[in-house]
Amino acid sequence: MEELSNTIRTPTYSHITKEDLDHIYEPAEDSFLLIDALEKDLDLIRERKPSLCLEIGSGSGIVITALGSVIGSQCRYVSTDINPRACNVTRETGRLNGIHIHSVCTDLVSDVIDDVKGSVDILLFNPPYVVTPSEEVGEGDLEYTWAGGKHGREVMDRLFPSVDSLLSLKGLFYLLVLKENDPSDIEQVMSKFGFSCTCVLSRRTGPENLSVLRFFRQR
Ligand SMILES: C[S@@+](CC[C@H](N)C(=O)[O-])C[C@H]1O[C@@H](n2cnc3c(N)ncnc32)[C@H](O)[C@@H]1O
């Protein structure tokens, strides 16, 4: 029987090199806020006895690895990233921390949807959310990590219509957003797709007002 903690420790990621960080997202305040929100929601998450967790845009892999460390090996962990180097680093972060992650290089969920359809119990996304000109979205490895285009919404908005087909009936979706992304509008958009929203945690870090939203199916 695995001994699982009620607090989430930051996974080891000392294997990530300076050269990796020229190409992938270095864990930052937003990554840690998402981990803190998962810790705050741990009882709720465990009650659901998740059997499949999916992180979109896993970057270094610390978020899905952190969740894996408190959920355990009875759950399957799948991640995606558009950047192949991030996928390799995610796999390695999982391995170093004892979590097997099936890490797939793809746009959002394109190459995993058939495998995970209707069975994702925990969905995580810390998207590129910074408001930028649309042309900057997807310009290069590092732009992929932050450039969100108009209202910082261009990447996350493409995911919203697929959430219903990804999540299991008891599924939860955790999304990191910035104030400029207009969280109340996101709540309305997701409501049209059949989801209710709760803000789990908010934090001001420097100039950024960040929040983690949790979506679940409306009854
Ligand atoms: C803000 S970073 C978050 C990284 C990591 N999850 C964390 O919290 O530290 C956003 C991540 O999304 C990835 N990404 C951007 N656009 C994507 C897309 N269309 N499909 C999949 N991943 C994408 C980036 O490569 C980057 O790793």
Side-chain angles (χ1 to χ4, degrees):
M1 190 85 168
E2 284 173 283
E3 277 259 343
L4 296 171
S5 163
N6 284 325
T7 52
I8 304 188
R9 276 193 307 121
T10 304
T12 303
Y13 58 97
S14 53
H15 63 294
I16 299 177
T17 63
K18 272 181 93 177
E19 209 207 323
D20 286 329
L21 295 177
D22 289 338
H23 300 273
I24 71 158
Y25 192 69
E26 180 167 8
E29 285 81 0
D30 49 353
S31 325
F32 298 118
L33 184 67
L34 183 50
I35 293 174
D36 289 348
L38 296 173
E39 181 177 84
K40 189 172 174 203
D41 260 10
L42 201 49
D43 287 343
L44 179 75
I45 292 172
R46 282 191 175 142
E47 268 168 26
R48 278 163 156 81
K49 299 193 188 328
S51 56
L52 176 58
C53 298
L54 169 65
E55 181 175 11
I56 300 167
S58 60
S60 64
I62 64 153
V63 180
I64 191 166
T65 300
L67 183 62
S69 69
V70 287
I71 299 292
S73 56
Q74 76 286 1
C75 180
R76 192 155 71 98
Y77 301 95
V78 178
S79 66
T80 70
D81 204 291
I82 194 99
N83 174 351
R85 189 161 188 145
C87 295
N88 291 337
V89 174
T90 289
R91 212 171 285 123
E92 189 58 11
T93 302
R95 196 189 63 75
L96 273 178
N97 291 275
I99 311 295
H100 176 75
I101 302 170
H102 179 54
S103 168
V104 180
C105 183
T106 191
D107 178 31
L108 297 178
V109 292
S110 301
D111 289 346
V112 297
I113 184 96
D114 290 343
D115 179 31
V116 303
K117 210 180 226 163
S119 50
V120 177
D121 297 315
I122 308 293
L123 177 64
L124 309 171
F125 195 20
N126 176 8
Y129 54 69
V130 178
V131 179
T132 65
S134 294
E135 307 78 75
E136 284 182 21
V137 177
E139 255 196 345
D141 289 350
L142 283 183
E143 285 76 7
Y144 269 130
T145 68
W146 51 268
K150 195 171 175 200
H151 307 302
R153 291 271 297 270
E154 291 187 28
V155 181
M156 66 177 99
D157 275 355
R158 287 198 294 118
L159 175 73
F160 297 153
S162 307
V163 174
D164 181 40
S165 62
L166 287 166
L167 286 190
S168 67
L169 289 178
K170 62 183 178 183
L172 301 173
F173 169 35
Y174 291 88
L175 176 72
L176 192 301
V177 295
L178 186 67
K179 190 174 170 207
E180 288 77 0
N181 302 148
D182 195 350
S184 352
D185 181 67
I186 294 175
E187 183 175 353
Q188 281 184 28
V189 170
M190 288 299 287
S191 165
K192 290 189 187 123
F193 291 119
F195 289 91
S196 299
C197 174
T198 300
C199 179
V200 182
L201 214 52
S202 291
R203 191 173 291 159
R204 194 189 166 94
T205 57
E208 292 190 331
N209 275 297
L210 299 169
S211 296
V212 177
L213 307 181
R214 179 207 322 122
F215 299 93
F216 50 98
R217 291 186 189 283
Q218 289 159 356
R219 290 178 194 276

